[in-house]
Amino acid sequence: MLPPPLTLPWNKQTDMNALRGREWLTTNGLGGFASGTVLGPPARRYHGMFVPNLSNPKGRFVAIPRIDEVIVLDDRAINLGGAEYIDTSNSADTPHAIDTPSSGEGHCYLREFRLDALMPVWVFEIGATVLEKTLVMPHGQNTVCIRYRVIAGPSPQLQLRVYAAARRLDAVLERSEEWPFTLSMTGEQMEIGMHHAPFAVKMKMYPAQCEFVGAPHIDRAVLYGIERDRGYDHSENLFSPGYFSVRFDESGETALLATTEHWEALEVKSSSLIAAERVRLEQLTDASALPQTDEFALNLVMAADQFIVVPGSRREEALLATASGDQMRSVMAGYHWFNDWGRDTMIALEGLTLCTGRHAEAGAILRTFIRYVKNGLIPNLFPEGEREALYHTVDATLWYFHALDRYLEYSRDWALLRELFPALQAIIDNHVHGTDFGIGMDARDGLIAASAEGYQLTWMDAKVGDWVVTPRRGKPVEIQALWYNALALMASWSEQLGASGNGYRELAEHARNSFNARYWCADHKYLFDVIDGPNGDDTSLRPNQIFALSLRHPILHEQYWQAVVDTVQARLLTPFGLRTLSQDNPNYQGFYQGTLIARDAAYHQGTVWPWLLGHFVDAWLRVHGDINNAQTLLRAFSTHLLEAGIGSISEIFDAESPHCPRGCIAQAWSVAEILRAWLKTQPKNTG
């Protein structure tokens, strides 16, 4: 069964910012999505009714940034859509924003917004007419369907003005006055081709007897308010060739379908697409084997589905994997702007796939990333629209061992271990002898050093221009925890496969002895964050030390466990995760806001990250063993599902109260680690 829809509390007397500040997201399993504000007007450059992830040209493109819906009823024309604009009436050099939607009235008539099986649904009440709008993206297709249904009262006339574009997510916003596309009509079908992009958007409206009215329009100086607040380019011109004019038939339903696939993708009824998506998600929630009474967990199971993808921009590689009898799977790190990242994928793998019963996909993800190993490193990320990966990471590869361990714990798939083992051996060998970016084992103490000028190699990876905000060059504490865990796992895996694990065990013990001799800072009663850095040992109190006792094989001696947990709990813990720096540090930033430079200066200098809470719960349980109190650490997230990105968990939160959500509205490792920790703290898991 599916959990009940998430319904946003709303009435017409509520401040419009309650709708402007909440966003919806639906995805297609290829990395493509549709997203916007509940209010209606787009507020981000990433918002769009159709954002496919394409293999040619590669990347995600805002294909349909907006659709304005005009209801004509009793000689009134009511625009439910609209936009916000830059006001240039006084001076083109000093524009200011109009903070109310000058051409949209949807908020005046909105009765309800809900997320139902990950599909956004709006209910508008216009006099006696009640109109329901539902948006769905069929899984595995670059297609979108928007259904309109009269559920009470007289049927209105509906006019849908479609704005078209072909802007890649990371491209400069369009301010041209030049008409950018061609329009062709063939019977019931319409195709919009973009002058500067080798793809077209095919559209069809049901019922077929609707009329398309050619009425070209340029919507100038459209404002994306969130981008303005974040210090980014925030205004563009949008182009529309005209609008569909539809009168509802006796069924009271109509739908607009758009695709970059073949025309056949448009030959499916909207009701069938919506029903199919509900069935698909019901199968996923049933496969998780979670109790139907745990609505929070079931909502996170559905949220997890949005991140597991066959990368749409690398379809040729997916086809090769399929041809060899394998699958290609990856994880989108966060919406709207992240692609698949190695570190995020490995950290999130257990929560997204193993806790949800999707073991085969977990194995496919592990196989996918091992294909990309280069000089003993898995990719840090795949940039938008690019096939070649980037490898500047010291921890992603070590997290791979953790992810594989968790997979084997659930699946007992020793055949996969045997298949991957030669690659794992090569990875360890590369780290022992040294590899790219100054990553390698210091033979004197058996610990891993990482130092490359101009690169951010750990998960604390903020960089603006040439400024690496938290370089952490030297020997970061969590890298040693991951290194020791990987070596200990390799020792046991070697024996599992009938070989000797002594060599790995010796390396592990050397690293562990050195770690415990050097990382305990007796003056502060916690662990150094980095040792042997350019400026010596770093005493900054950060959450990275929690990994020294949260992994399967803890590198930290037990005598120090409680002190570390108590210090982190007292000075870094918040209701939404761990601060990345203690409040008494002169570099501490309590709020993530302002310009890009200001935000990146705060990104890992205090800002709270929810994913860290998963490993804090692991460490806390290792010390205290009290499941009931551990679960209280996670309770704030149940109400968060109706904030920011409806139905998901944000990337970060402010370090100071009220801990406002920031960054991506839906982050893979946030969802994964909160779900994993939530399930771990259920009474059924005490054994």
Side-chain angles (χ1 to χ4, degrees):
M1 290 179 58
L2 293 171
L6 286 169
T7 302
L8 184 66
W10 163 253
N11 61 66
K12 295 172 187 176
Q13 286 69 49
T14 305
D15 186 347
M16 276 199 314
N17 285 326
L19 300 182
R20 181 189 282 110
R22 288 170 169 82
E23 300 171 60
W24 56 270
L25 169 76
T26 189
T27 62
N28 67 357
L30 299 173
F33 62 86
S35 183
T37 65
V38 174
L39 181 65
R44 298 184 189 268
R45 61 180 293 128
Y46 309 100
H47 283 160
M49 305 304 283
F50 184 35
V51 185
N53 193 17
L54 304 175
S55 57
N56 181 31
K58 291 184 180 295
R60 291 172 291 183
F61 286 78
V62 180
I64 301 178
R66 188 170 116 220
I67 298 175
D68 283 358
E69 298 118 337
V70 175
I71 299 296
V72 181
L73 189 66
D74 299 330
D75 297 324
R76 288 189 302 156
I78 300 166
N79 188 353
L80 301 178
E84 298 177 347
Y85 297 91
I86 294 286
D87 182 2
T88 58
S89 59
N90 295 327
S91 169
D93 297 325
T94 57
H96 63 279
I98 300 174
D99 286 330
T100 58
S102 59
S103 62
E105 306 171 77
H107 60 285
C108 299
Y109 301 95
L110 181 67
R111 188 172 81 181
E112 178 183 276
F113 174 86
R114 65 182 185 269
L115 192 70
D116 188 356
L118 296 181
M119 292 176 283
V121 181
W122 295 258
V123 178
F124 298 99
E125 187 171 13
I126 307 163
T129 297
V130 180
L131 181 69
E132 180 187 81
K133 167 187 169 184
T134 303
L135 188 146
V136 60
M137 296 190 82
H139 195 73
Q141 293 183 38
N142 280 314
T143 301
V144 67
C145 171
I146 308 169
R147 183 184 73 176
Y148 301 87
R149 185 162 65 113
V150 178
I151 57 178
S155 295
Q157 181 185 0
L158 175 66
Q159 296 176 357
L160 298 179
R161 177 173 285 279
V162 177
Y163 289 86
R167 169 175 54 80
R168 209 170 79 170
L169 279 185
D170 55 357
V172 175
L173 294 180
E174 180 63 65
R175 294 186 184 86
S176 171
E177 296 281 329
E178 182 181 351
W179 201 249
F181 49 70
T182 58
L183 177 68
S184 62
M185 300 285 297
T186 305
E188 307 162 357
Q189 301 170 337
M190 182 172 76
E191 184 172 73
I192 298 179
M194 309 305 296
H195 292 164
H196 58 284
F199 73 92
V201 177
K202 305 173 182 68
M203 283 184 275
K204 188 171 182 178
M205 193 85 203
Y206 293 93
Q209 62 266 30
C210 75
E211 176 187 11
F212 181 78
V213 179
H217 173 66
I218 302 176
D219 211 26
R220 295 176 174 85
V222 172
L223 167 70
Y224 301 126
I226 296 176
E227 303 304 320
R228 175 200 59 192
D229 296 343
R230 286 164 54 86
Y232 288 122
D233 192 15
H234 55 268
S235 178
E236 72 175 336
N237 294 343
L238 295 178
F239 300 83
S240 170
Y243 60 89
F244 292 97
S245 180
V246 185
R247 288 195 176 275
F248 290 89
D249 60 16
E250 62 280 0
S251 71
E253 291 189 15
T254 189
L256 172 65
L257 282 85
T259 189
T260 58
E261 310 278 352
H262 298 295
W263 285 108
E264 288 79 6
L266 304 183
E267 299 299 324
V268 183
K269 291 183 179 179
S270 59
S271 56
S272 299
L273 292 174
I274 292 170
E277 182 65 2
R278 292 186 64 85
V279 168
R280 189 183 72 82
L281 287 171
E282 188 164 13
Q283 290 173 342
L284 290 179
T285 54
D286 289 349
S288 71
L290 298 179
Q292 295 301 315
T293 55
D294 195 342
E295 294 178 8
F296 176 64
L298 290 172
N299 276 303
L300 291 187
V301 169
M302 292 195 299
D305 177 67
Q306 297 186 313
F307 304 102
I308 302 169
V309 301
V310 178
S313 61
R314 305 203 302 278
R315 276 197 170 183
E316 69 280 9
E317 297 165 62
L319 290 172
L320 285 173
T322 302
S324 65
D326 204 351
Q327 302 180 69
M328 184 180 185
R329 293 290 186 276
S330 194
V331 169
M332 303 301 283
Y335 294 96
H336 303 90
W337 49 84
F338 287 127
N339 260 311
D340 41 344
W341 287 59
R343 172 191 304 117
D344 300 55
T345 297
M346 298 309 138
I347 291 170
L349 183 123
E350 182 176 2
L352 296 186
T353 62
L354 301 175
C355 292
T356 59
R358 303 174 70 162
H359 300 174
E361 286 164 294
I365 290 169
L366 292 167
R367 287 188 178 93
T368 294
F369 272 84
I370 210 70
R371 296 189 192 104
Y372 290 98
V373 170
K374 179 181 178 182
N375 298 331
L377 302 175
I378 70 167
N380 187 30
L381 76 151
F382 293 88
E384 186 75 47
E386 303 294 332
R387 180 174 178 177
E388 295 299 321
L390 300 179
Y391 287 84
H392 54 292
T393 171
V394 61
D395 56 343
T397 312
L398 300 177
W399 277 112
Y400 186 95
F401 289 82
H402 167 78
L404 176 58
D405 170 54
R406 304 313 302 140
Y407 171 74
L408 295 173
E409 177 76 14
Y410 281 81
S411 69
R412 302 297 176 183
D413 184 0
W414 306 118
L416 179 60
L417 175 61
R418 189 174 297 279
E419 174 188 332
L420 300 179
F421 198 72
L424 303 178
Q425 291 175 305
I427 287 171
I428 297 296
D429 190 59
N430 272 275
H431 281 71
V432 168
H433 295 98
T435 185
D436 302 334
F437 306 104
I439 298 169
M441 187 185 78
D442 184 339
R444 295 169 297 178
D445 57 16
L447 301 174
I448 295 292
S451 181
E453 192 70 31
Y455 286 95
Q456 64 282 37
L457 299 177
T458 72
W459 81 274
M460 292 186 163
D461 58 357
K463 183 180 180 182
V464 182
D466 294 330
W467 177 37
V468 178
V469 182
T470 46
R472 304 183 72 225
R473 290 191 289 273
K475 297 170 182 172
V477 62
E478 79 277 15
I479 303 307
Q480 316 317 316
L482 290 163
W483 174 237
Y484 174 77
N485 190 58
L487 292 171
L489 290 170
M490 284 296 286
S492 62
W493 290 341
S494 296
E495 293 165 357
Q496 177 77 26
L497 298 177
S500 172
N502 290 339
Y504 296 117
R505 190 166 286 108
E506 290 169 5
L507 288 170
E509 287 309 306
H510 186 198
R512 192 172 197 230
N513 291 335
S514 299
F515 182 92
N516 285 277
R518 300 201 57 199
Y519 275 84
W520 178 249
C521 181
D523 292 342
H524 296 284
K525 307 301 183 189
Y526 59 75
L527 303 181
F528 288 111
D529 188 58
V530 181
I531 66 169
D532 295 347
N535 300 312
D537 299 341
D538 184 1
T539 60
S540 300
L541 175 55
R542 296 189 183 274
N544 304 304
Q545 61 192 287
I546 209 70
F547 300 108
L549 67 150
S550 69
L551 300 171
R552 177 187 287 278
H553 298 284
I555 192 172
L556 184 64
H557 286 162
E558 188 171 353
Q559 68 194 73
Y560 302 119
W561 289 0
Q562 183 157 347
V564 167
V565 168
D566 289 350
T567 299
V568 170
Q569 182 170 7
R571 299 174 63 183
L572 300 180
L573 181 64
T574 76
F576 293 100
L578 301 184
R579 294 186 180 95
T580 42
L581 189 64
S582 60
Q583 294 164 297
D584 58 353
N585 191 293
N587 294 318
Y588 173 78
Q589 301 287 329
F591 297 93
Y592 181 84
Q593 57 191 17
T595 66
L596 174 61
I597 293 177
R599 294 197 316 277
D600 277 341
Y603 204 36
H604 302 104
Q605 301 284 58
T607 298
V608 168
W609 291 73
W611 79 270
L612 296 168
L613 197 52
H615 280 267
F616 178 76
V617 167
D618 293 335
W620 197 91
L621 287 173
R622 194 162 244 160
V623 170
H624 298 290
D626 185 345
I627 283 178
N628 292 329
N629 281 332
Q631 192 176 98
T632 64
L633 302 173
L634 306 167
R635 293 199 181 279
F637 291 99
S638 60
T639 56
H640 175 65
L641 294 185
L642 286 171
E643 301 172 339
I646 305 296
S648 197
I649 299 180
S650 297
E651 176 190 8
I652 51 177
F653 292 77
D654 283 340
E656 296 295 330
S657 182
H659 304 293
C660 293
R662 307 287 187 183
C664 285
I665 63 167
Q667 192 78 1
W669 58 11
S670 297
V671 170
E673 280 297 278
I674 298 307
L675 174 58
R676 183 185 67 82
W678 178 263
L679 297 180
K680 186 170 184 175
T681 57
Q682 298 300 305
K684 67 176 184 178
N685 289 318
T686 55

